[in-house]
Amino acid sequence: MLPEADELPEVLLDLAVPHEDINGLVALRDRLWEDAEARWLLDRCVDALVRDMGKPGGTPEFPVLPEGLGELGRCFFVYVYVAALPYAREYHRGRGIPEEVSRRTLADLGRHLAVHRRARGGRGLAVPGWHGLHFRGELYQLGRLQFQRAVLGERMGGAVAGGGAGVGAGAGRAAGPGDPCLNLHITDYRGPLSPEACDRSLALAREFFARYFPEERYETAVCHSWLLDPQLRHYLPADSNIVRFQDRFRQADGYGRDPDDSTPVGFVFGDRDLAVDRLPRRTRVERAVGDHLRSGGHWYGGHGWFSL
């Protein structure tokens, strides 16, 4: 069930939904509730989301809604997460997870509404399924970084296993495919990616998962991100936050080399569809991303790991 219209603003504000989106989402709530097919889909999506709550890798694939639904379609999954909120909070309480960690984790919904507005100028979620990780208890915001409970796949697990005996899976053996790992994610609107902020975040994660998920042994951290593209080193100084973040990781081989130019454009400039010749050059990172593309180069996703 969705909160009543007069109760919804408080719930949305708790999820850090931007103030300028509140009235519009309250108005859309009644439109959704009066549509029997939309209510049916809401029930199905919430049911799929909370089934196997807490199980890593269990986040469902949500349907792509037709563009003809307009703003209701772009905002539909906000209501899915609002309806799933009591289940997420119950799971967190059952694990003993501190309220402030729960609040900051689930508030990522509001941050992504702000990201969408920056890129598209209106309400919506660009990647609706992403927040399933938060609302299913798979991902947590701990300081500057987000940590997703996951398992090592074949390629990353093979890279970790080749890193040396005893690395990442306790004494006596190397971690490998199928072993637990923490997948690191870097969010916008959280300040600089400084080494100090990352150190604090990693310290919080070590304590958090050992205390609240003691049955799961997380000793390897992995990251899949354009921020790990080694080409960034050609443009940024060795003491830059991004290069120092890269220095934490061992590069994992075996991944494809398909160009992914739109991802860094989207993260750095807010809109992945911006024309290359219009990209600003205000900061070192903006100049690095834009100048590399203007010179005919491409950006690629990087893949790395380190032992916790």
Side-chain angles (χ1 to χ4, degrees):
M1 295 290 290
L2 284 175
E4 296 294 335
D6 59 349
E7 300 170 341
L8 185 57
E10 297 294 332
V11 177
L12 295 175
L13 289 170
D14 285 345
L15 294 171
V17 172
H19 287 75
E20 60 265 40
D21 290 334
I22 299 295
N23 288 346
L25 288 169
V26 171
L28 277 174
R29 183 261 183 216
D30 289 340
R31 180 180 160 194
L32 183 156
W33 201 248
E34 293 166 0
D35 187 324
E37 291 184 352
R39 289 207 318 272
W40 179 90
L41 182 60
L42 179 75
D43 288 342
R44 301 289 80 72
C45 289
V46 173
D47 180 69
L49 184 65
V50 303
R51 192 184 305 131
D52 298 325
M53 176 71 80
K55 180 181 177 182
T59 301
E61 290 189 15
F62 287 140
V64 177
L65 301 183
E67 292 185 5
L69 287 175
E71 190 172 42
L72 179 59
R74 293 191 297 274
C75 297
F76 176 82
F77 292 100
V78 174
Y79 303 102
V80 171
Y81 293 119
V82 167
L85 181 59
Y87 298 94
R89 286 176 170 164
E90 181 182 8
Y91 178 78
H92 286 177
R93 285 194 298 268
R95 282 275 173 179
I97 291 169
E99 190 280 332
E100 63 268 22
V101 173
S102 179
R103 174 173 53 83
R104 290 168 185 161
T105 296
L106 300 176
D108 203 39
L109 182 70
R111 184 181 70 83
H112 271 265
L113 280 161
V115 168
H116 187 278
R117 179 174 289 279
R118 180 181 67 177
R120 303 300 179 201
R123 279 181 291 273
L125 292 174
V127 187
W130 167 247
H131 301 282
L133 296 170
H134 308 59
F135 282 75
R136 284 180 41 79
E138 296 184 60
L139 180 150
Y140 296 91
Q141 184 85 48
L142 301 170
R144 180 64 181 84
L145 303 172
Q146 293 177 340
F147 297 84
Q148 176 190 349
R149 297 164 52 226
V151 297
L152 293 168
E154 289 296 325
R155 286 174 292 190
M156 185 62 77
V160 175
V167 176
R173 75 176 185 91
D179 283 324
C181 68
L182 293 177
N183 195 350
L184 275 59
H185 301 281
I186 307 99
T187 63
D188 202 352
Y189 300 134
R190 299 276 314 183
L193 188 68
S194 68
E196 296 77 14
C198 291
D199 286 343
R200 177 177 176 271
S201 200
L202 287 165
L204 289 171
R206 292 185 184 99
E207 178 182 356
F208 177 87
F209 290 101
R211 175 175 296 182
Y212 301 111
F213 293 91
E215 74 281 11
E216 299 172 353
R217 193 177 182 89
Y218 291 107
E219 296 186 357
T220 307
V222 305
C223 186
H224 307 270
S225 172
W226 70 275
L227 288 171
L228 297 187
D229 188 331
Q231 297 179 108
L232 284 164
R233 294 176 176 271
H234 302 322
Y235 297 91
L236 302 175
D239 63 351
S240 69
N241 287 339
I242 291 177
V243 172
R244 294 180 71 180
F245 183 74
Q246 287 189 358
D247 287 341
R248 297 176 184 271
F249 294 86
R250 303 188 191 190
Q251 289 288 331
D253 298 324
Y255 287 86
R257 288 286 292 170
D258 294 327
D260 185 15
D261 298 334
S262 63
T263 295
V265 170
F267 275 103
V268 173
F269 301 99
D271 183 354
R272 62 175 56 222
D273 296 326
L274 286 176
V276 171
D277 59 359
R278 293 173 49 208
L279 298 178
R281 301 184 73 254
R282 297 163 296 194
T283 68
R284 289 188 303 196
V285 175
E286 287 184 348
R287 291 191 291 273
V289 171
D291 290 354
H292 184 69
L293 293 174
R294 282 185 284 266
S295 69
H298 293 287
W299 293 108
Y300 300 88
H303 311 274
W305 68 276
F306 62 83
S307 173
L308 287 168

